[in-house]
Amino acid sequence: MAPPPDLVKPLWEAAAGIEPTGTDPARYLRTYLQALRYANGSPSDRAVIASSQHAITIADLRQALQGWAVPEWPVISQLVTALQGLPEVALPLWRRARSSTETCTLRAEAFG
């Protein structure tokens, strides 16, 4: 059975150094992380956390794969490593995702 194209594309683009266009950077990062998980045999949450040597929590894992906010870099780096990916490949995706969410977030003080 062939892997889903939406999971192959982010892995190929990241490996080729192609900057994604026309997509929400945070969603793209989540898709990339989900693709890494798929490529690693779709390990269970418990197995991923064990692979990270418990450096990430279940909450970290769920936030990275399904949440609306972009976790801090140490979480993403640990997750990518646990999924047998290369953090240096994921770093530009994380930076784009963080900068896109930071520009969209307003502080409470902005509303008076």
Side-chain angles (χ1 to χ4, degrees), residues 17-107:
I18 298 172
E19 188 170 313
T21 59
T23 186
D24 171 47
R27 184 176 2 183
Y28 191 87
L29 175 63
R30 284 190 298 276
T31 302
Y32 173 76
L33 295 171
Q34 292 165 359
L36 277 179
R37 187 178 198 174
Y38 180 84
N40 196 33
S42 301
S44 68
D45 290 351
R46 184 175 289 161
V48 173
I49 291 167
S51 291
S52 78
Q53 299 179 353
H54 299 275
I56 59 174
T57 66
I58 189 71
D60 292 333
L61 179 61
R62 290 184 179 154
Q63 181 66 36
L65 296 174
Q66 302 156 355
W68 59 270
V70 178
E72 297 291 328
W73 173 245
V75 170
I76 298 298
S77 177
Q78 288 289 335
L79 176 56
V80 169
T81 300
L83 295 173
Q84 300 180 6
L86 300 172
E88 60 270 17
V89 173
L91 184 58
L93 301 177
W94 175 81
R95 284 184 177 143
R96 286 185 71 238
R98 284 296 282 214
S99 67
S100 74
T101 57
E102 288 171 3
T103 58
C104 294
T105 305
L106 295 176
R107 296 185 169 266

